[in-house]
Amino acid sequence: MTRTRPARLKPGDTVAVVAPAGPVPAEPLDAGVAVLRDWGLRVEVGKHVLDRHPDVPYLAGHDAHRVGDLQRAWCDPDVAAVICARGGYGAMRMVDLLDWDAMAEAGPKVFTGSSDITALHQAIGDHLDLVTVFSPIVAGESFDPTAQKYLRATLFEPESMLSLTGPTVATMNHGTATGPVVGGNLSLLSSCVGSSARPPDDAIVLLEDVNEEPYKVDRMLTQLLRAGWFTGVSGIALGSWTGCGEPAEVYAVLADLLGGLGMPTVWDLGFGHVPAQLTIPLGVEATLNADAGTLTLTEPALV
Amino acid sequence: MTRTRPARLKPGDTVAVVAPAGPVPAEPLDAGVAVLRDWGLRVEVGKHVLDRHPDVPYLAGHDAHRVGDLQRAWCDPDVAAVICARGGYGAMRMVDLLDWDAMAEAGPKVFTGSSDITALHQAIGDHLDLVTVFSPIVAGESFDPTAQKYLRATLFEPESMLSLTGPTVATMNHGTATGPVVGGNLSLLSSCVGSSARPPDDAIVLLEDVNEEPYKVDRMLTQLLRAGWFTGVSGIALGSWTGCGEPAEVYAVLADLLGGLGMPTVWDLGFGHVPAQLTIPLGVEATLNADAGTLTLTEPALV
């Protein structure tokens, strides 16, 4: 599998900020937009980004409005990147309402976000066969200076971001694997079983989650295992498990369920709901060296 | 779809109590076993029912031991019913390790339990094409006198339990539907996407959950909807949503997602994690009258 890589950004480019999932607080949004402007980007904020659904308060407005903002941004030839303001929950509800044919016609562009946005990364991979950028959301505390630095470098100078690792990475299972990087948030990956494609051959899978008890992490992984989702996967890079119980307990669950797969696996590569989180492109080929604790991209994320 | 109905119980029958999921506390287990003995049953308690997994504390022992207990009970010709001590989490981990051919050969028998045990109800339906009994677990507070009465009547005098309803049932969507009853715990139904069959034609679906935030209830339902799981479903009976947020909030989520299906739907039929919970057979044909708030079985659960 080789996915199409969108063009890198350059100062003066226009980007669109959208909210496909949970409601966005105004202050962190302004702060995130200011950072993007500091990078020399022109920023358009979607019409409904500050909406809140009247009956379902965990949504940033109606499904149709969240769809409309993303669709308009994607199909606007002046927009070089679609940037998600935050995750939360809601991307799954709107993903099948997008006009994928129109988006395919609009041609490749950069897409960034993480957490709940995993559902959109999956769908863009499935429908448009594009490389996307698993990155911090821009309207939140997690968009800290180091996380900003990684995202900026990936977007503007992607050849400077080929070797990815974190300060507390550890080997969970030895070995080396090479293949396309996929995955993201475990809840969303398990929730997309039945509507998204399984990982491509030799895939290196990213997995992280937030605020899920260990038994729920088990349930989600068990869903993926029972559905044959790990068939063909060649390596696993685990991220953060913030609010998922004691690290030792989560480690035990993951080791118990994934150990039997016998594939190169690292613990805590440095992405997910964690300060200084890495930006990692999805759909690009990479080598996971579980002994060295590194994920090395074969080519830059963007052309 | 007409599933095979196992034989009803009679005093003197032997039943086996097993723990396919979470660890079982000794005192409620003794209390539950005492109730079953009061009904005139001989009770065998599985060898590993009081185990706890050394590394994964939310499991009642190793997967292989939980499998062994259930498998031995099912394949013992002297055992008329396999009764789950409690739910929690863990049935999904062991369900594919059972020897379904051997269990098919052992012939029909009664199976009871709920909550996490939904994964086993699904698998017994898929593999053995049997009617099972969605009922209170016997080692817990929920096995209160009224819940006991319903389970006992279903097991011994099933023709007395054809008309099922609860004290606070309400119409969510008008109409009447007839078909086989399936479903159970929403978390488990969504987690079985990719490994269990979809509901049969005209199915009436039971849905309930416990300790899941509204946005997680949304995520699980959205998984089922996106996977086409409701295709062919003709009616929905909602149970309890204990610990899933304010009732009005959960109601809004369910109405938002299910309302568009336009099928007969009742709110709070009286099953799930709730005192005086109903026992409801799965796989038996029934009529859901969403205006009257009743689920009426076409035939007794057991022959």
Side-chain angles (χ1 to χ4, degrees):
Chain A
M1 184 196 81
T2 313
R3 288 197 168 142
T4 303
R5 293 179 293 154
R8 70 184 62 198
L9 299 188
K10 49 190 191 317
D13 278 349
T14 299
V15 301
V17 173
V18 298
V24 177
E27 211 171 306
L29 175 67
D30 290 345
V33 167
V35 169
L36 300 176
R37 291 200 170 119
D38 275 353
W39 295 352
L41 298 170
R42 294 166 200 270
V43 183
E44 288 178 2
V45 175
K47 202 157 61 169
H48 296 285
V49 165
L50 291 173
D51 282 7
R52 185 186 281 263
H53 193 293
D55 305 317
V56 187
Y58 48 78
L59 297 175
H62 289 285
D63 295 345
H65 291 158
R66 304 197 315 285
V67 164
D69 273 7
L70 195 151
Q71 182 89 44
R72 265 190 304 276
W74 196 280
C75 295
D76 180 346
D78 292 335
V79 168
V82 175
I83 290 180
C84 293
R86 75 167 281 241
Y89 169 76
M92 272 180 75
R93 288 177 55 121
M94 52 79 87
V95 71
D96 296 333
L97 304 175
L98 289 162
D99 181 344
W100 290 102
D101 290 339
M103 288 169 68
E105 199 143 328
K109 58 190 65 188
V110 172
F111 178 78
T112 81
S114 56
S115 196
D116 190 66
I117 306 304
T118 296
L120 275 159
H121 286 288
Q122 289 275 107
I124 293 171
D126 289 351
H127 290 282
L128 305 180
D129 206 26
L130 272 189
V131 167
T132 58
V133 179
F134 193 82
S135 78
I137 49 93
V138 297
E141 278 175 21
S142 64
F143 199 40
D144 59 52
T146 307
Q148 290 170 22
K149 184 182 73 178
Y150 293 146
L151 176 57
R152 189 192 173 287
T154 303
L155 296 179
F156 288 86
E157 300 148 11
E159 58 283 324
S160 71
M161 291 300 288
L162 296 183
S163 182
L164 306 174
T165 189
T168 51
V169 66
T171 304
M172 192 179 227
N173 215 1
H174 291 282
T176 294
T178 297
V181 181
V182 298
N185 182 272
L186 173 60
S187 301
L188 274 296
L189 295 172
S190 67
S191 297
C192 286
V193 170
S195 46
S196 271
R198 294 204 304 215
D201 282 353
D202 302 321
I204 293 167
V205 171
L206 309 181
L207 295 175
E208 64 89 25
D209 220 320
V210 61
N211 299 339
E212 298 288 351
E213 291 172 69
Y215 84 90
K216 292 184 179 176
V217 170
D218 185 324
R219 188 174 75 202
M220 292 166 187
L221 268 179
T222 299
Q223 172 162 28
L224 295 179
L225 288 163
R226 293 186 70 205
W229 195 88
F230 283 97
T231 309
V233 169
S234 71
I236 301 171
L238 301 169
S240 61
W241 303 90
T242 309
C244 294
E246 289 301 313
E249 200 183 347
V250 191
Y251 190 98
V253 171
L254 293 165
D256 181 68
L257 287 167
L258 299 177
L261 299 177
M263 60 181 70
T265 304
V266 295
W267 168 256
D268 200 9
L269 184 66
F271 65 91
H273 293 77
V274 71
Q277 68 180 270
L278 292 175
T279 286
I280 305 183
L282 302 177
V284 170
E285 192 185 83
T287 296
L288 177 71
N289 183 330
D291 302 295
T294 54
L295 182 70
T296 306
L297 309 185
T298 307
E299 55 184 8
L302 307 174
V303 291
Chain B
M1 185 195 81
T2 313
R3 288 196 169 142
T4 303
R5 293 179 295 155
R8 69 185 63 198
L9 300 187
K10 49 190 190 318
D13 279 349
T14 299
V15 301
V17 173
V18 298
V24 177
E27 210 171 306
L29 175 67
D30 290 346
V33 166
V35 169
L36 299 175
R37 292 201 169 118
D38 275 352
W39 295 351
L41 298 169
R42 294 167 200 270
V43 183
E44 289 177 2
V45 175
K47 203 157 60 171
H48 295 285
V49 165
L50 291 173
D51 283 7
R52 185 186 281 263
H53 193 292
D55 305 317
V56 187
Y58 49 78
L59 297 175
H62 288 285
D63 294 345
H65 291 158
R66 304 197 316 285
V67 164
D69 273 7
L70 195 151
Q71 182 89 45
R72 266 191 302 277
W74 196 280
C75 294
D76 180 345
D78 292 334
V79 169
V82 175
I83 290 180
C84 293
R86 74 167 282 240
Y89 169 76
M92 271 181 75
R93 288 177 56 120
M94 53 78 89
V95 71
D96 296 332
L97 304 174
L98 289 161
D99 181 344
W100 290 101
D101 290 339
M103 289 169 68
E105 200 142 327
K109 59 189 62 187
V110 172
F111 179 79
T112 81
S114 55
S115 195
D116 190 66
I117 306 304
T118 296
L120 276 158
H121 287 287
Q122 289 273 107
I124 293 171
D126 289 350
H127 289 282
L128 306 180
D129 205 26
L130 272 190
V131 167
T132 58
V133 180
F134 194 82
S135 79
I137 50 93
V138 297
E141 277 174 22
S142 64
F143 200 40
D144 59 53
T146 306
Q148 291 170 23
K149 183 182 74 176
Y150 293 146
L151 176 57
R152 189 192 173 287
T154 303
L155 296 178
F156 289 86
E157 300 147 12
E159 58 282 325
S160 72
M161 291 299 288
L162 297 183
S163 184
L164 307 174
T165 189
T168 51
V169 66
T171 304
M172 192 178 226
N173 214 1
H174 291 283
T176 293
T178 297
V181 181
V182 298
N185 182 272
L186 174 60
S187 301
L188 275 297
L189 296 172
S190 66
S191 297
C192 287
V193 170
S195 46
S196 271
R198 294 204 302 216
D201 282 352
D202 302 322
I204 293 166
V205 170
L206 309 181
L207 295 175
E208 65 89 26
D209 220 317
V210 62
N211 299 338
E212 299 288 352
E213 291 171 71
Y215 84 90
K216 293 185 179 177
V217 171
D218 185 324
R219 188 175 73 202
M220 293 166 186
L221 269 179
T222 298
Q223 172 162 30
L224 295 178
L225 288 163
R226 293 187 70 204
W229 195 88
F230 283 97
T231 309
V233 169
S234 71
I236 301 171
L238 302 169
S240 61
W241 303 89
T242 309
C244 295
E246 289 301 313
E249 201 184 347
V250 190
Y251 189 98
V253 171
L254 294 164
D256 181 67
L257 287 167
L258 300 177
L261 299 177
M263 60 181 71
T265 304
V266 295
W267 167 257
D268 200 9
L269 185 66
F271 65 92
H273 294 77
V274 72
Q277 68 180 270
L278 291 174
T279 287
I280 305 182
L282 302 177
V284 170
E285 192 184 83
T287 296
L288 177 70
N289 183 329
D291 302 294
T294 54
L295 182 70
T296 306
L297 308 185
T298 308
E299 55 185 9
L302 308 173
V303 290

